[in-house]
Amino acid sequence: MDMLVTILVTFFAGMGAGLGTGFAGMSAAAVITPMLVTFLNMEPYMAVGIALSSDVLASAVSAYTYGRNKNLDVRNGLIMMVSVLVFTVVGSYVSSLVPSGTMGSFSVCMTFLLGVKFIVRPVMTTKEAMQAASAQKRAIQSLVFGVLIGFICGFVGAGGGMMMLLTLTTVLGYELKTAVGTSVFIMAFTALTGAASHFAIGGAPDWPVFGLCVAFTFIWARLAAVFANRAEPKTLNRATGIVLVTLGIVIMGFSRLG
């Protein structure tokens, strides 16, 4: 019975995380962590480590799928990735010096509101319009906003995927597919760094839960990424918005249960 519960919890956690990753570049930690803590009574630190591990392969396969469809900006993605990684460490250090606040709902609220935004005001920028922008200006914006996103992620502890998607679509003017592709490319590396540090500090994970979460998240992320790359822009905006709004509501429910 315990194993059946574990399989069901990890299946639905992986499904939610995989859909969020494949459609919107969302961090798996936002979905998997509260489910493992609430339904499997897992210690939060270890749950985050397993969630980040699930994020690595899910984001990597999503980035590969978007890249194959020419919906990935590697050059600016690398610039943003380096600045995010460096300033996540800085933000984490500053956070350790400041009294902890009630910032846990930050990522959940952002997920829900961003979902509403994609439904009400879809991103209809074309790839041609995106490429017409100055490459130098985009590189500078990637660096500056990577610093900001990294610091906030390190300080608050969540929200990176959503902030990257919001920045790429509204500030840098990316069309939605390229924004998600670039976001998951960055998230694959940031999740790998986070997972490695979690297990180095906290020890080995619960291997059955680890394996199931990684597998289910990978499968659903792959399916979502394939669908997203074939969808029309308006359809993709609506699908992404519905996924984000649903996940936002579900995660809020899990948070209250916990």
Side-chain angles (χ1 to χ4, degrees):
M1 184 63 181
D2 286 347
M3 193 59 198
L4 178 61
V5 171
T6 299
I7 292 171
L8 287 173
V9 170
T10 53
F11 174 80
F12 285 108
M15 180 172 68
L19 291 175
T21 300
F23 275 118
M26 179 180 171
S27 171
V31 181
I32 292 177
T33 302
M35 287 197 70
L36 296 185
V37 171
T38 303
F39 295 109
L40 299 183
N41 298 314
M42 185 172 286
E43 195 271 320
Y45 191 85
M46 188 55 65
V48 171
I50 290 175
L52 288 170
S53 300
S54 304
D55 226 352
V56 177
L57 279 181
S59 294
V61 73
S62 297
Y64 172 76
T65 305
Y66 279 92
R68 279 192 63 186
N69 288 275
K70 297 181 171 34
N71 293 317
L72 171 59
D73 184 353
V74 175
R75 180 174 175 269
N76 290 299
L78 285 171
I79 293 171
M80 185 175 281
M81 180 185 73
V82 171
S83 54
V84 166
L85 286 173
V86 171
F87 277 84
T88 296
V89 176
V90 174
S92 181
Y93 174 72
V94 173
S95 177
S96 70
L97 305 176
V98 178
S100 59
T102 56
M103 307 275 296
S105 59
F106 176 80
S107 180
V108 180
C109 291
M110 180 171 283
T111 300
F112 179 82
L113 293 174
L114 194 56
V116 172
K117 187 259 182 194
F118 281 127
I119 295 171
V120 177
R121 294 192 62 185
V123 177
M124 299 303 291
T125 306
T126 63
K127 196 167 288 188
E128 291 73 23
M130 182 191 90
Q131 292 171 343
S134 163
Q136 183 180 8
K137 179 183 176 183
R138 194 181 298 144
I140 293 170
Q141 288 176 323
S142 296
L143 177 64
V144 171
F145 282 93
V147 168
L148 183 63
I149 292 168
F151 184 83
I152 293 173
C153 287
F155 191 81
V156 176
M162 293 297 92
M163 282 191 290
M164 272 189 277
L165 185 62
L166 184 63
T167 298
L168 291 169
T169 53
T170 60
V171 180
L172 274 72
Y174 280 45
E175 54 93 26
L176 185 56
K177 291 180 184 178
T178 307
V180 176
T182 305
S183 178
V184 289
F185 172 73
I186 297 168
M187 289 300 293
F189 293 95
T190 56
L192 178 61
T193 305
S197 63
H198 263 71
F199 294 140
I201 295 167
D206 181 322
W207 291 113
V209 175
F210 173 92
L212 288 167
C213 282
V214 169
F216 288 136
T217 307
F218 176 87
I219 292 166
W220 284 102
R222 170 66 176 161
L223 292 172
V226 169
F227 174 84
N229 278 279
R230 293 177 179 172
E232 292 296 317
K234 187 171 282 190
T235 303
L236 179 58
N237 273 272
R238 285 177 179 164
T240 303
I242 290 168
V243 167
L244 291 177
V245 168
T246 303
L247 289 175
I249 293 170
V250 171
I251 297 164
M252 284 183 215
F254 291 152
S255 299
R256 291 190 178 183
L257 281 174

